[in-house]
Amino acid sequence: MATRIVTITDHKSGKQVECPVYEGEYGAPVIDIKNLYKELGMFTFDLGYGSTAACRSAITYLDGEDGVLLHRGYPIEQLAEKSNFLEVSYLLLHGELPNQVQSDEWTHAIKMHGMTHEHLSRFYQGYRYDAHPMSVLAGVCAAVASYYHASTDIHDPESRMLTARRVIAKMPNLVSKIYRHSSGLPFVYPDNSRDHVENFMYMMFSWPTEPYVANPVALRALNLLFILHADHEQNASTSTVRLAGSAETNPFACVAAGVSTLWGKAHGGANEAVIEMLAEIGEPKNIPKFISRAKDKDDNFRLMGFGHRVYKNYDPRAKIIRQACHDLLQSMNLNLPMFEVAMELERIALEDEYFISRKLYPNVDFYSGLIYQALGIPANMFTPMFALARASGWIAQWMEMMADSDFRIGRPRQLYIGAQRRDYTAVADRG
Ligand code: SDX
């Protein structure tokens, strides 16, 4: 429902277009410009979509100025403290926290969909043992699409919910197989006597010759990290999943597209890049050199784990992870020199005018890698772990889009700055 009108006037032609303004529950109102091109013959131009709302959504709300993150209205701090990853996945998908009956049915359903087709295991053999895990994950997610393509009706709500359950249930299996393949270890079938996150740890780290007992401290840390990575409004990978889904493609293929986008070190790949950066820094005395590199416009180095398109304050997830990292290292009596370097880097950066003036704070990726490292997870597996968690957000956003009454294919336009019309010339006549 429009709350007011914004009039856009082209002072050159004198033409005007009246655009309705819609208010959400929270956040900036939006100007509906759908008639702009028809009335004024113009497009909007917003590189990086910094001022563009691409959809309407009820799943996640971010307030970048105040560092607020809500999932279906629940503050991330409360979910992090009181919930678990599978329950948060239910919340993202259904909009409400489950009662006991719903929770039991959900848990059972996810367990029942945790296996993958036996032939899929052969797919991993096509990758070198040292292939980057995100390349493998993008490939196997697209491969899973082939098993359900004929049976999935994306316009049927029940078929969509079955797909969502399959995505959430199979990601731990798909991701653990990547690690096993790269380590020369046999694949491990899920053990449904274990809960979702413990089953993942079991598939990742169990040995066929020994009983596997998960470390409860590690399980709590992993549940926390998966909750904090589950969804985050219209970030690059979620926007990719939505755009791919708007073309009515296979939902597992949409997830594969999301995986590919998340791989970038400006996005989910940052957690691995943070560890590489901290290792390169080595010790606190080298920090000033890296700070000056980050400020040097002629150097494309950026401080990995700092900055965010939306948060212009501390990323609330980074605050939670920082404390959890500190507690975990203390409880494991682990001295991780990188953690000291990270805290010193954060202190120095947050006192530096360059970072203060640009409101560059640590983001979710700055500390998450340190926890994964403390849990013995190799750095190149950090982003697949991010993808495992974010798949719940991706498929919830896909479900929401597919159910939207105004569902249509996304098709942005452009500002053309290329050559004027010209005729083809034979190669003999070219200079
Ligand atoms: C994630 O969107 C999401 O929600 C993402 C995410 C999620 O959960 O899905 O939160 C997960 O992707 C977190 C971000 C992880 N990426 C990194 O940590 C990589 C390092 N960060 C930067 O690449 C950057 O901060 C971005 C990509 C995160 C944000 O880029 P923007 O919004 O386009 O920022 P910008 O380029 O407009 O920067 C503004 C200024 C620039 O300087 P000036 O041109 O004004 O002089 O800040 C500078 C930038 O050069 N800057 C940095 C910096 N980040 C921005 N300078 C040094 N180090 C950095 N990290």
Side-chain angles (χ1 to χ4, degrees):
M1 184 60 184
T3 57
R4 58 186 186 271
I5 297 288
V6 163
T7 303
I8 299 176
T9 303
D10 174 8
H11 290 287
K12 183 178 174 189
S13 67
K15 285 183 181 176
Q16 288 191 327
V17 58
E18 293 198 343
C19 302
V21 172
Y22 304 123
E23 305 261 359
E25 192 61 39
Y26 294 137
V30 297
I31 303 171
D32 183 342
I33 55 163
K34 66 172 170 292
N35 293 323
L36 187 70
Y37 182 59
K38 190 173 71 179
E39 300 297 330
L40 293 192
M42 294 186 192
F43 300 135
T44 56
F45 189 61
D46 183 17
L47 288 179
Y49 307 113
S51 298
T52 295
C55 66
R56 54 189 166 214
S57 179
I59 298 173
T60 291
Y61 173 68
L62 306 186
D63 179 326
E65 298 310 318
D66 295 336
V68 171
L69 171 55
L70 306 177
H71 289 318
R72 299 291 190 175
Y74 293 97
I76 191 65
E77 294 81 4
Q78 293 183 25
L79 294 173
E81 184 189 339
K82 300 174 179 175
S83 187
N84 62 67
F85 173 58
L86 202 55
E87 182 177 76
V88 169
S89 298
Y90 180 99
L91 173 66
L92 293 174
L93 215 50
H94 296 85
E96 299 294 338
L97 289 169
N99 60 33
Q100 194 57 58
V101 169
Q102 292 162 333
S103 179
D104 295 344
E105 192 278 331
W106 171 249
T107 303
H108 175 72
I110 295 300
K111 286 178 187 284
M112 289 303 108
H113 288 293
M115 289 282 281
T116 55
H117 194 290
E118 196 61 17
H119 292 176
L120 185 75
S121 300
R122 301 176 195 162
F123 195 91
Y124 290 79
Q125 310 315 325
Y127 289 91
R128 284 169 50 110
Y129 75 95
D130 59 352
H132 194 287
M134 285 301 277
S135 171
V136 182
L137 186 57
V140 293
C141 284
V144 174
S146 66
Y147 293 103
Y148 302 109
H149 191 61
S151 62
T152 302
D153 175 0
I154 59 174
H155 296 295
D156 170 48
E158 282 187 23
S159 183
R160 291 202 295 264
M161 183 53 80
L162 175 56
T163 294
R165 289 176 168 196
R166 282 173 171 154
V167 167
I168 293 168
K170 296 181 192 308
M171 281 301 274
N173 191 327
L174 298 175
V175 169
S176 64
K177 282 189 168 77
I178 299 170
Y179 174 69
R180 304 293 285 196
H181 172 66
S182 68
S183 312
L185 293 168
F187 293 157
V188 177
Y189 291 108
D191 167 5
N192 285 344
S193 68
R194 301 171 190 268
D195 76 17
H196 194 60
V197 173
E198 183 184 342
N199 221 343
F200 170 65
M201 291 289 275
Y202 168 68
M203 290 188 278
M204 281 280 283
F205 296 122
S206 67
W207 280 85
T209 56
E210 308 296 328
Y212 179 76
V213 179
N215 172 339
V217 173
L219 286 180
R220 265 198 312 278
L222 218 45
N223 246 301
L224 172 67
L225 283 175
F226 287 168
I227 288 170
L228 297 177
H229 286 80
D231 191 56
H232 209 240
E233 202 215 56
Q234 303 311 318
N235 58 85
S237 53
T238 297
S239 299
T240 301
V241 170
R242 278 181 172 261
L243 193 56
S246 76
E248 302 187 36
T249 193
N250 181 296
F252 273 98
C254 295
V255 169
V259 168
S260 300
T261 303
L262 190 72
W263 187 2
K265 73 174 186 175
H267 189 14
N271 53 17
E272 178 182 3
V274 165
I275 293 297
E276 289 165 0
M277 177 186 71
L278 292 175
E280 194 182 353
I281 291 173
E283 47 191 317
K285 71 178 174 58
N286 299 326
I287 290 174
K289 182 180 70 176
F290 283 83
I291 295 275
S292 59
R293 279 192 60 196
K295 292 153 64 172
D296 178 357
K297 290 303 164 202
D298 297 327
D299 186 335
N300 63 12
F301 173 80
R302 285 196 165 182
L303 222 47
M304 291 291 105
F306 276 79
H308 199 277
R309 171 60 56 80
V310 174
Y311 288 127
K312 298 310 172 191
N313 197 318
Y314 217 100
D315 182 335
R317 302 167 297 174
K319 268 187 197 162
I320 296 167
I321 292 178
R322 184 179 191 272
Q323 185 56 49
C325 189
H326 183 269
D327 297 347
L328 179 71
L329 296 179
Q330 268 202 328
S331 72
M332 296 173 82
N333 201 20
L334 252 184
N335 171 33
L336 209 55
M338 269 189 191
F339 183 66
E340 307 311 321
V341 173
M343 290 213 292
E344 181 60 7
L345 175 59
E346 175 191 349
R347 185 187 66 77
I348 296 173
L350 296 188
E351 288 174 357
D352 186 294
E353 180 46 36
Y354 174 93
F355 290 84
I356 294 169
S357 62
R358 291 167 178 79
K359 300 184 176 181
L360 302 177
Y361 293 89
N363 57 47
V364 68
D365 294 301
F366 188 60
Y367 285 102
S368 53
L370 293 171
I371 291 185
Y372 285 137
Q373 202 170 49
L375 300 181
I377 292 164
N380 67 2
M381 285 299 294
F382 293 175
T383 313
M385 308 279 282
F386 192 153
L388 187 162
R390 186 54 56 89
S392 295
W394 287 336
I395 205 66
Q397 298 267 353
W398 174 81
M399 291 266 285
E400 181 179 64
M401 176 189 69
M402 296 306 293
D404 192 309
S405 54
D406 293 331
F407 172 78
R408 65 198 296 239
I409 190 168
R411 205 300 189 187
R413 302 303 304 274
Q414 65 176 15
L415 175 67
Y416 177 69
I417 54 171
Q420 291 193 358
R421 187 194 179 288
R422 51 186 170 166
D423 295 323
Y424 182 84
T425 52
V427 65
D429 302 332
R430 294 172 201 159

